[in-house]
Amino acid sequence: MDCHIHGLHRLILAVYLLSLATLSPALHTSSSLSKSQPSTTNGQINSNSVLVALLDSHYTILSELVEKALLLQTLESAVGAHNITIFAPRNEALDRDLDPEFKRFLLEPGNLRSLQTLILFHVIPSRIPADQWPRSDIHHRTLSNDPVRMFPNQKIDLANVVHPNAVIRPDGIIHGIERLLVPRSVQEDFNRRRSLTSISAVLPEGAPEVDPRTNRLKKPMPVPAGAPPVLPVFYAMAPGPDLAPAPAPGPGGAHRWFDGESQVKDFIQTLLHYGGYNEMADILVNLTSLATEMGRLVSEGYVLTVLAPNDEAMSRLTTDQLSEPGAPEQIMYYHLIPEYQTEESMYNAVRRFGKVRYDTLRLPHKVVAQEADGSVKFGHSEGAAYLFDPDIYTDGRISVQGIDKVLFPPEEEAVSPAAEKKVVDHKVAAAKLRRGKLLEVACRMLGAFGQDSRFSTCQ
């Protein structure tokens, strides 16, 4: 939305729609289409469709949003079943007149459902030309299943229709409107996400400040000649966060610098709103002792990195793995690293050192990280997990990194019954070999008196 659609994207979309048109049997059976005849056959569109007209019209940014929202198939089905009406906002409304924060919200991968709801809110599954505009206020159900209100003075919701009947096709009509239509559900979702991002996190002392206009680090003021340096020389010699973040202060240091309980609640809410990590959030909410302990650690000055398995990974956990007392806590402890790591710091570390072993709160077990396919891989062999959603939550004290599997320590990997029996037989054989000469002589003496059967070691 920050820039116009690229020519390559438009060409790809046009080729895709026209390729569907060549497959339509209607083009082989008729040479022309009347306006009363639908332009779809069996869900396939032709070159006279309103979707192709939308691509070739002056609403190119809306076409780009339809592609990013993965709604082509949905709109094709709607065109095949209905005669649709599209209210298309002009490019200027999407390019310059929209809140930049709302633009970023719509284009974030985790908000795909909100973007789809927003686009479908502009489509009504019925044909409404300008000469059939309602004479009184009326509500229409949109493809997003949200009602939109139409006013008699050619106004829909809060937008005026500036180009009525901008495009007319046998299967639909496009009306040009002056602004974007935002359904209430999308606005509420954006407000919740904005309230989370506006939470003021307490950053460590000396943290660099970012200029919101340029997204670059603010440069310090020039130091006058002869003045002492702004920071001690030791700070310039210490490793930066791209290699090895500074360790957390010990429990003997100053207390209650940070509100750890609020920060833990914030990152759990972020998991819920991000989507795809509901199981992880539920475990943290239900295991109140674990969440309380995490908040206490952060309040004492420690930092934490949470390796959060997504819902698909959590669904693969078996009942046996969760049925033992304390099993969920032990699993979660193995996913908590008492360091502050980001995607950049971990990737730089594995690129430089090959393998990095991070301490976990499940002592003495460590989790191994290494580079794999341009990302970071945790664990061993088949039980390894990849860094799937980086930097879900980073506030300077707690870092949440999404992974695609649940991690277990190496010694807790599943062992087949045959392998377990082989280990037992090996231990029995080793025990027999450890019997010394003195024990063998004693067993022979007991056998002479018929008493060897009473001792299992002599059998």
Side-chain angles (χ1 to χ4, degrees), residues 100 104 209-219:
R104 290 192 293 269
E209 297 182 8
V210 178
D211 190 342
R213 297 173 302 173
T214 61
N215 292 324
R216 296 177 180 271
L217 295 179
K218 288 185 177 180
K219 296 183 179 180

Side-chain angles (χ1 to χ4, degrees), residues 8-322:
L8 180 59
H9 289 170
R10 296 186 58 193
L11 179 60
I12 294 175
L13 189 58
V15 171
Y16 171 73
L17 295 175
L18 291 176
S19 64
L20 292 177
T22 58
L23 297 175
S24 176
L27 292 182
H28 299 284
T29 57
S30 62
S31 58
S32 63
L33 291 171
S34 64
K35 291 187 178 181
S36 62
Q37 180 182 0
S39 62
T40 63
T41 304
N42 298 329
Q44 296 173 339
I45 64 174
N46 57 40
S47 58
N48 201 30
S49 172
V50 69
L51 297 182
V52 178
L54 177 64
L55 175 66
D56 293 335
S57 65
H58 298 289
Y59 308 102
T60 53
I61 297 184
L62 180 63
S63 304
E64 182 183 9
L65 285 181
V66 171
E67 182 183 5
K68 289 182 177 179
L70 308 178
L71 288 177
L72 280 177
Q73 186 175 1
T74 302
L75 293 179
E76 289 170 15
S77 302
V79 168
H82 310 282
N83 220 291
I84 67 174
T85 300
I86 302 176
F87 296 95
R90 53 194 175 88
N91 286 348
E92 292 79 6
L94 298 176
D95 192 22
R96 293 195 301 266
D97 302 341
L98 202 59
D99 182 10
E101 291 187 12
F102 190 63
K103 291 181 185 180
R104 290 192 293 269
F105 165 78
L106 292 176
L107 295 179
E108 289 178 359
N111 302 326
L112 178 61
R113 185 174 300 178
S114 297
L115 178 60
Q116 292 176 339
T117 302
L118 180 80
I119 298 300
L120 296 179
F121 187 66
H122 292 74
V123 184
I124 295 178
S126 59
R127 187 183 185 91
I128 307 177
D131 56 356
Q132 297 180 13
W133 199 268
R135 303 291 183 181
S136 60
D137 296 358
I138 188 173
H139 287 84
H140 272 281
R141 184 68 60 175
T142 64
L143 287 186
S144 65
N145 205 26
D146 295 308
V148 64
R149 189 174 183 180
M150 300 181 64
F151 299 92
N153 55 347
Q154 287 197 347
K155 183 177 181 180
I156 179 163
D157 199 30
L158 300 178
N160 293 319
V161 178
V162 293
H163 297 294
N165 294 342
V167 176
I168 299 178
R169 291 293 185 272
D171 57 356
I173 294 179
I174 299 177
H175 297 302
I177 57 178
E178 64 174 352
R179 58 181 296 177
L180 190 70
L181 305 178
V182 182
R184 178 177 298 179
S185 60
V186 176
Q187 186 66 47
E188 291 176 351
D189 192 13
F190 169 66
N191 292 338
R192 284 194 299 269
R193 183 63 59 87
R194 182 167 54 181
S195 65
L196 287 176
T197 56
S198 63
I199 295 175
S200 57
V202 182
L203 295 177
E205 294 183 2
E209 297 182 8
V210 178
D211 190 342
R213 297 173 302 173
T214 61
N215 292 324
R216 296 177 180 271
L217 295 179
K218 288 185 177 180
K219 296 183 179 180
M221 295 296 293
V223 181
V230 178
L231 294 177
V233 179
F234 170 77
Y235 280 42
M237 297 167 55
D242 56 337
L243 291 180
H255 300 296
R256 310 304 300 180
W257 284 354
F258 308 98
D259 186 2
E261 290 79 6
S262 298
Q263 288 177 277
V264 170
K265 291 179 182 178
D266 290 344
F267 101 77
I268 293 177
Q269 290 181 3
T270 303
L271 281 179
L272 291 173
H273 288 294
Y274 189 85
Y277 293 88
N278 295 331
E279 297 293 335
M280 176 75 176
D282 290 342
I283 288 181
L284 291 173
V285 171
N286 293 327
L287 297 177
T288 54
S289 59
L290 177 59
T292 303
E293 184 176 355
M294 293 174 62
R296 180 179 59 81
L297 289 173
V298 176
S299 297
E300 294 291 337
Y302 288 95
V303 290
L304 292 174
T305 297
V306 182
L307 303 179
N310 57 17
D311 289 343
E312 183 179 355
M314 298 295 287
S315 65
R316 290 195 290 266
L317 288 175
T318 62
T319 306
D320 296 337
Q321 292 172 325
L322 297 173

